[in-house]
Amino acid sequence: VRIRAAVFSGDVCITGHDSGPVFEVQPSSVVYPEGLSKGTVTLNCQARASPAATYRWHVNGTNVPVGDLRYTLVAGNLVISGPQYGSDGGSYQCLAMNRCGTILSRVANLKFGYLHDFSGEGQSPQTVYEGAGAFLACQAPAHYPALSYRWFVNDFPSFVKPDGGRWFVSQVTGNLYLAKAEPNDTASYFCFTTIDMDISTKSTFSKANQLTVQPDANTRKSAPAIKVRFPAETYALAGHTTQLECFAYGNPVPKLRWRKVDGLLPSKAGASAEGPILTLPEMTFHDEGVYECEAYNSEGRDKHQGRINVQAQPEWLQVMSDSEVEISSELHWTCVAAGKPRPSIRWLRNGQPLSTQDRVEVNGGRLKVINLALEDSGMYQCVAENKHDTIYSNAELRVQVQAPDFRSNPVRRLVPAARGGQVMLECRPRAAPKPTLFWSRGTELLTNSSRVTVTPDGILWIHNISRADEGKYTCFAENYLGKANSTGHLSVRDATKITLAPSNADINQEENVTLQCHASHDPTMDLTFTWAHNGALLDLEDPAGPYHRVEGKETIGDLLIVSGQLSQAGTYSCTAQTVVDSASASAKLVVRGPPGPPGGLVVKNVAETSAELRWSRGYDNHSPIGKYVIMGCSPLSSGWRTMRTEPSNIEGNAESARVVGLLPWMDYEFQVIASNILGSGEPSMSSHTVRTQQAAPTVAPSGLGGGGGDRNELIITWTPMAREYQNGDGFGYILAFRKRNTPTWVVERVSNVESSRYVYSNQSLSPYCPFEVKIKAYNRKGEGPFSQIALVHSAEEEPTVAPLRINATALTAFEMQVSWDPVQHLSANGILRGYEIRYWRQHEREAAADRVRTAGLETTARVAGLRPSTRYHVTVLAYNSAGTGPASPKSTVTTRRPPPNRPPGNVFWKTDGSWVTVRWDHVKALGNESAVLGYKVLYKHEGQSALKVLDKGKTSVTLPLPKDNGYVVLEIRSWGEGGDGAAHETIVSRDSGETD
């Protein structure tokens, strides 16, 4: 059993069995209400240790008298009964200890919270004019910890609300600020303060603060004036929330916005970026900088700036770890901590400060102990602290003393080795201090020779092994505490050899290839093959991968490469391996494929319709480059397309070409693609975007036409020129027009590229006058060609002549026919489109007339949807695209009486072979109905869609029946001058029957 020196209570810490204390729970600071005498405070402390830890407590560096009536230890927790402000406040630390060492907990502060009452004197009443700003001071009483502030109006709990930014309560001073006073703000205001402690809260409020607002009929507006200003320097703590306050007087009520002067305002500010308190949670060093609050309204603005400096609590970057070190050796431990300000570092051993003396050297975060002794064992702590916090890191040091012992790490009992190879035998006993090591074979002590090497740390190397080296080898270890030895047997095996090495191969892309690899080996051992590509081990077990092992004898390790790719070219190494040795052989694989992408593409000498491209050759991938193709892309193309070049065929040895056929004033990107007999390669990287030079337009606008519009107007229309035909900026249109058969052209310029019409107004323009019109485009480089001449008419005028000889005839009770003489075209002031029939009942006004238009120049029309027995007035007007002309003289017509609204009754039928006779009763007209002149029979056979109509004056009809057993569908109705009456529908089959 290894031991180390006693460090606690005279006991011995046993290595491998005992362990020093490690904190699981440490005490936290507490704020306790002052004057609460019957309560308790518990400071927690628990540590993991073997044997179990015992505990002590310090307050302000002195022992806490545990066992006193007011101090109780429960496990490791310190319970203080009836804490008292004068005697119990302070900094507490827990000590956890066992026979392996002592550790010190972090500091926990016990402080007492209090909030005194406001002074009995209220503040003097304040008077402010409407529209002005004001504030009420809180003058909070003595307190601990920090307060939160609210104000209420007149009665609790009617708390002041922001009211659109008019009110603000500072959480720094507690003062109440009012940006713009209003008459209804007159009231009594009370400052309400609260402290939060760990087990309770306490609140109190001030005496009334009277505010009176004097109304002002002529309220003056005022620019913002910032009254609540955050400090010029604010120190924030990383990981915590920081708040800056800013508030301004002004009329109208100022709005607020924040910005970071030296960077972007952090997004985590959220909505607070437009409020009086800028809130920045989870502060980082990136948030450090100058911040500005701006108050603004319609009258002006005001600004205030201040800097946030971010500091940080200590944080460990590197700590020490538990160590077992042999006696008389050296210990080197390092602790590194980050923080701002930079933390200082000190060291503790078993709770006591360590400083440089004797064998100990302390240098900031570095601890060095030389010539270690047993008494150096124990618990060590590295302590980093700055003004924001103190952190502890713990580790246990065990100084070992032990006679040599091979039980946990003996020499390997059987060590196989290959003939001609080399072997290493390790000797690593446990011992402290370090033992002297030597090797023997039988009785022969082994020393360094041409084939044997014994290193200082006990490793035996045998080189160029032969069968004669087989046998037992023993390692001896010795220190001042004792001796030990361990023996292993060296077994010499046949060497592994490559009998068929892989051969160099040359394939085209997508072809398969097999690389052979055969080996011989000692038959008493297993043989495995591995393959590497350019030194990287290959995965031969992935069925979806490109590499596969060729199944066969154990001595065959061929590699199959499926669908070879350019990236798979390179050196392939086969390794045949046993547990004692290995042998390797390599071969090169060449994969031929399409060329790689050309490089260094640049565009030079850009002209109006051409540009020069230069590039450098890419890899030919073992097949000569045959030609190049240049691809281009512009905003008008849907993708890359092949460009015209000079020369048109670019040979494989070329490194430049000219692209032609480009559009002037157009943005282009280019790529170059090389190809060989195996295909086209990947394109080069795209060139930078270039814009061709400007040129005068080369084509005329299309779609030239026009016409229509208002009186005395000539409207000319065209299709706006597409971007690819504009050829330059400063683009517009030139219009030329003249009356047909006149010599002089009128020329007008239209400067908007999106324009598609031009309106020429002239009081002397006659209606529907033909004009010759042509158009061309221009830009800052010049003018393009004129279009072909188009014929466009000026605006038409309404017809001036009315149709004559109007004749209206009643056809039925619901329909009439109107006819008239045509209007001569010469008097139409344009192209006559047709005629409009207006009709209205006798008692109606003409303005309410219904209207029907003909689709062409017909001179008759039927008008349906009329009322029976009704007198109508009818007039006809000619119309063109400008409107309708004058109305014709009125014609009058009376519609006929309506037909009977009753269908024929008592319908029955009788079949006779292939015929059926249908009979019905006569329909008798009433006095207000038109007489019945006959009957219409509509019929169709089963499955037919067409109806046949028979006009009959009689009350019966004989019809053919279908040859099969089908039926006939019948509709029977009366007819007369008033039109068709109501229909009777029935179905007739071969069976005689009748229907009601």
Side-chain angles (χ1 to χ4, degrees):
V1 173
R2 290 172 287 138
I3 62 174
R4 54 182 171 85
V7 296
F8 176 68
S9 302
D11 292 334
V12 174
C13 181
I14 303 172
T15 298
H17 179 271
D18 294 349
S19 61
V22 176
F23 281 119
E24 293 182 324
V25 179
Q26 297 192 60
S28 297
S29 295
V30 176
V31 177
Y32 186 81
E34 182 181 323
L36 185 62
S37 59
K38 295 186 179 180
T40 61
V41 167
T42 300
L43 299 175
N44 296 314
C45 183
Q46 296 293 327
R48 180 179 70 252
S50 178
T54 58
Y55 300 89
R56 292 207 314 268
W57 283 82
H58 286 170
V59 56
N60 300 328
T62 62
N63 284 327
V64 174
V66 174
D68 184 297
L69 289 176
R70 293 194 311 107
Y71 299 101
T72 308
L73 204 58
V74 179
N77 302 332
L78 177 64
V79 180
I80 305 173
S81 301
Q84 297 175 4
Y85 173 70
S87 57
D88 294 324
S91 299
Y92 287 77
Q93 280 184 288
C94 170
L95 289 81
M97 59 199 77
N98 69 3
R99 63 192 180 201
C100 294
T102 301
I103 55 175
L104 200 58
S105 77
R106 69 188 179 199
V107 173
N109 294 311
L110 173 58
K111 296 186 177 182
F112 288 83
Y114 59 92
L115 174 60
H116 294 172
D117 290 332
F118 280 87
S119 65
E121 298 179 3
Q123 296 186 41
S124 301
Q126 281 206 52
T127 301
V128 63
Y129 282 100
E130 180 182 356
F135 83 95
L136 300 175
C138 181
Q139 297 180 346
H143 60 274
Y144 181 83
L147 292 172
S148 62
Y149 298 91
R150 288 189 291 175
W151 286 71
F152 63 87
V153 187
N154 294 331
D155 298 304
F156 183 84
S158 178
F159 287 105
V160 172
K161 296 178 181 178
D163 188 19
R166 281 202 316 123
W167 293 97
F168 173 64
V169 178
S170 170
Q171 296 303 309
V172 176
T173 63
N175 296 343
L176 174 65
Y177 292 85
L178 176 58
K180 184 192 79 165
E182 296 178 356
N184 58 5
D185 294 328
T186 298
S188 295
Y189 292 84
F190 300 82
C191 181
F192 185 83
T193 60
T194 302
I195 59 168
D196 283 309
M197 294 169 283
D198 291 284
I199 62 174
S200 67
T201 63
K202 183 177 181 182
S203 300
T204 186
F205 58 87
S206 68
K207 299 291 184 182
N209 293 264
Q210 183 64 39
L211 175 66
T212 302
V213 180
Q214 294 281 10
D216 186 351
N218 298 312
T219 303
R220 289 190 304 170
K221 292 189 176 182
S222 59
I226 294 177
K227 296 298 182 181
V228 178
R229 297 172 176 263
F230 53 96
E233 295 278 344
T234 298
Y235 288 91
L237 198 55
H240 292 244
T241 296
T242 292
Q243 293 185 323
L244 302 180
E245 292 188 346
C246 178
F247 190 73
Y249 296 170
N251 183 13
V253 176
K255 293 183 178 179
L256 298 170
R257 58 184 168 214
W258 295 80
R259 72 183 185 98
K260 191 169 184 233
V261 176
D262 46 4
L264 292 175
L265 186 70
S267 60
K268 59 190 173 186
S272 75
E274 295 180 353
I277 300 179
L278 178 69
T279 302
L280 299 173
E282 297 289 330
M283 290 292 290
T284 69
F285 288 107
H286 293 295
D287 300 327
E288 196 169 68
V290 177
Y291 288 78
E292 178 183 271
C293 165
E294 180 183 26
Y296 62 97
N297 64 13
S298 59
E299 303 305 300
R301 58 193 65 234
D302 193 11
K303 297 179 181 179
H304 174 67
Q305 291 184 354
R307 180 174 183 82
I308 294 181
N309 296 299
V310 179
Q311 299 195 336
Q313 298 167 315
E315 180 181 9
W316 290 120
L317 302 179
Q318 180 182 343
V319 296
M320 71 278 200
S321 56
D322 294 344
S323 298
E324 292 186 2
V325 186
E326 62 191 35
I327 196 168
S328 302
S329 62
E330 290 189 358
L331 170 71
H332 294 271
W333 264 340
T334 300
C335 281
V336 180
K340 189 178 180 182
R342 183 187 298 275
S344 63
I345 294 182
R346 53 190 172 88
W347 294 81
L348 304 175
R349 179 169 62 197
N350 294 324
Q352 298 300 315
L354 267 180
S355 59
T356 299
Q357 58 179 355
D358 300 334
R359 296 175 296 106
V360 177
E361 180 182 330
V362 176
N363 183 12
R366 300 180 185 275
L367 173 66
K368 176 181 176 182
V369 183
I370 61 174
N371 193 22
L372 283 166
L374 288 175
E375 60 265 26
D376 294 321
S377 297
M379 299 301 299
Y380 287 73
Q381 290 179 285
C382 181
V383 185
E385 61 184 322
N386 65 13
K387 65 181 182 179
H388 301 297
D389 199 7
T390 302
I391 56 175
Y392 293 76
S393 172
N394 308 335
E396 183 176 359
L397 173 65
R398 301 188 179 194
V399 178
Q400 296 178 343
V401 56
Q402 180 181 3
D405 186 348
F406 280 99
R407 285 177 296 178
S408 61
N409 194 21
V411 174
R412 284 176 61 192
R413 297 177 69 99
L414 177 63
V415 183
R419 263 191 316 184
Q422 63 181 18
V423 70
M424 178 185 73
L425 286 79
E426 288 188 293
C427 180
R428 298 193 184 278
R430 293 183 72 101
K434 273 183 180 165
T436 302
L437 301 173
F438 55 90
W439 285 86
S440 71
R441 183 184 177 197
T443 58
E444 176 190 358
L445 184 66
L446 296 178
T447 58
N448 290 339
S449 66
S450 59
R451 292 197 313 111
V452 176
T453 303
V454 181
T455 66
D457 56 354
I459 295 177
L460 171 62
W461 285 92
I462 305 174
H463 308 277
N464 194 18
I465 295 171
S466 66
R467 288 285 185 187
D469 294 320
E470 199 165 67
K472 292 184 178 180
Y473 290 79
T474 302
C475 176
F476 294 88
E478 180 178 353
N479 66 13
Y480 71 85
L481 293 171
K483 302 178 181 179
N485 63 75
S486 181
T487 301
H489 181 81
L490 177 65
S491 174
V492 179
R493 313 290 175 90
D494 289 337
T496 303
K497 296 179 180 178
I498 299 292
T499 57
L500 178 60
S503 301
N504 293 339
D506 187 329
I507 63 170
N508 291 336
Q509 187 172 316
E510 298 294 339
E511 291 181 349
N512 298 345
V513 65
T514 299
L515 301 179
Q516 294 181 305
C517 186
H518 300 182
S520 63
H521 70 296
D522 191 296
T524 63
M525 293 180 293
D526 292 332
L527 177 68
T528 58
F529 288 90
T530 59
W531 285 85
H533 175 220
N534 294 334
L537 199 63
L538 297 179
D539 178 8
L540 306 183
E541 307 303 325
D542 181 4
Y547 301 108
H548 303 276
R549 194 189 311 276
V550 177
E551 300 298 333
K553 297 180 181 178
E554 183 190 16
T555 57
I556 297 176
D558 296 352
L559 172 68
L560 171 64
I561 303 174
V562 178
S563 298
Q565 300 298 314
L566 295 172
S567 61
Q568 290 163 344
T571 301
Y572 286 81
S573 302
C574 167
T575 300
Q577 189 169 356
T578 66
V579 293
V580 299
D581 70 339
S582 63
S584 298
S586 299
K588 291 188 179 297
L589 174 64
V590 173
V591 181
R592 302 182 187 274
L601 177 61
V602 294
V603 185
K604 308 175 82 175
N605 302 326
V606 180
E608 291 95 339
T609 60
S610 64
E612 184 180 339
L613 271 61
R614 294 184 179 274
W615 62 88
S616 57
R617 292 171 57 86
Y619 295 114
D620 65 7
N621 289 326
H622 310 289
S623 179
I625 296 173
K627 67 173 183 176
Y628 289 97
V629 172
I630 295 178
M631 308 296 289
C633 178
S634 75
L636 303 175
S637 59
S638 57
W640 294 93
R641 61 184 181 88
T642 305
M643 308 301 292
R644 290 197 296 120
T645 60
E646 289 181 357
S648 56
N649 294 315
I650 308 172
E651 296 183 355
N653 59 358
E655 292 189 1
S656 67
R658 175 161 286 278
V659 181
V660 298
L662 303 178
L663 296 173
W665 196 57
M666 185 59 64
D667 293 336
Y668 286 95
E669 290 180 74
F670 299 102
Q671 293 177 343
V672 181
I673 299 175
S675 60
N676 58 21
I677 59 173
L678 296 175
S680 296
E682 291 292 315
S684 68
M685 289 185 63
S686 300
S687 71
H688 63 278
T689 301
V690 298
R691 176 169 288 187
T692 50
Q693 299 292 321
Q694 298 187 33
T698 56
V699 297
S702 62
L704 185 60
D710 293 332
R711 186 188 302 255
N712 304 125
E713 286 184 349
L714 171 66
I715 294 181
I716 303 170
T717 60
W718 63 92
T719 302
M721 287 278 272
R723 172 65 177 80
E724 61 261 40
Y725 302 121
Q726 294 173 16
N727 289 6
D729 57 3
F731 185 86
Y733 305 95
I734 296 175
L735 288 165
F737 52 92
R738 65 184 179 187
K739 285 184 181 180
R740 190 166 59 181
N741 301 325
T742 61
T744 306
W745 292 91
V746 178
V747 177
E748 297 287 349
R749 297 174 79 90
V750 180
S751 60
N752 186 357
V753 65
E754 301 295 334
S755 294
S756 61
R757 73 195 298 261
Y758 174 75
V759 179
Y760 173 69
S761 295
N762 191 320
Q763 294 299 318
S764 64
L765 274 183
S766 55
Y768 203 63
C769 179
F771 278 79
E772 293 177 328
V773 179
K774 58 184 179 180
I775 188 172
K776 63 181 176 181
Y778 72 89
N779 60 24
R780 69 171 63 246
K781 282 291 187 177
E783 298 176 1
F786 267 119
S787 67
Q788 291 186 332
I789 293 175
L791 193 65
V792 178
H793 287 78
S794 61
E796 300 178 39
E797 289 184 358
E798 300 90 344
T800 57
V801 179
L804 299 175
R805 298 180 59 178
I806 309 302
N807 181 36
T809 305
L811 298 178
T812 68
F814 313 104
E815 208 174 10
M816 67 177 169
Q817 179 164 304
V818 183
S819 62
W820 58 92
D821 285 349
V823 170
Q824 295 302 313
H825 285 252
L826 294 176
S827 61
N829 292 341
I831 299 176
L832 188 63
R833 306 285 177 170
Y835 297 92
E836 181 176 288
I837 300 143
R838 297 182 184 179
Y839 56 98
W840 64 99
R841 285 180 286 167
Q842 185 172 16
H843 64 277
E844 292 179 332
R845 291 183 295 109
E846 183 176 354
D850 289 317
R851 305 174 185 215
V852 175
R853 281 193 169 185
T854 65
L857 302 180
E858 297 89 347
T859 57
T860 62
R862 291 168 74 101
V863 179
L866 305 178
R867 295 190 181 188
S869 305
T870 303
R871 189 174 180 81
Y872 283 90
H873 298 298
V874 182
T875 186
V876 180
L877 308 85
Y879 74 90
N880 60 17
S881 63
T884 54
S888 70
K890 284 190 297 186
S891 178
T892 303
V893 65
T894 301
T895 53
R896 300 183 184 275
R897 287 179 294 169
N901 62 0
R902 299 168 303 287
N906 197 22
V907 178
F908 65 96
W909 67 88
K910 186 174 183 179
T911 57
D912 182 9
S914 59
W915 294 85
V916 62
T917 299
V918 184
R919 300 180 185 276
W920 59 90
D921 288 347
H922 177 65
V923 178
K924 187 175 182 179
L926 301 178
N928 62 343
E929 295 175 337
S930 59
V932 175
L933 301 179
Y935 297 91
K936 289 182 179 178
V937 180
L938 287 76
Y939 75 98
K940 66 175 181 177
H941 287 184
E942 176 188 6
Q944 293 180 342
S945 58
L947 285 169
K948 294 182 180 179
V949 181
L950 298 173
D951 283 345
K952 290 288 183 181
K954 298 181 290 187
T955 58
S956 65
V957 66
T958 300
L959 301 171
L961 278 173
K963 294 180 179 179
D964 54 12
N965 290 324
Y967 55 83
V968 175
V969 178
L970 291 180
E971 284 187 10
I972 307 169
R973 56 167 55 85
S974 63
W975 67 271
E977 289 182 347
D980 293 345
H984 179 107
E985 184 175 325
T986 188
I987 296 175
V988 177
S989 65
R990 286 189 176 274
D991 300 326
S992 296
E994 57 184 74
T995 184
D996 294 332

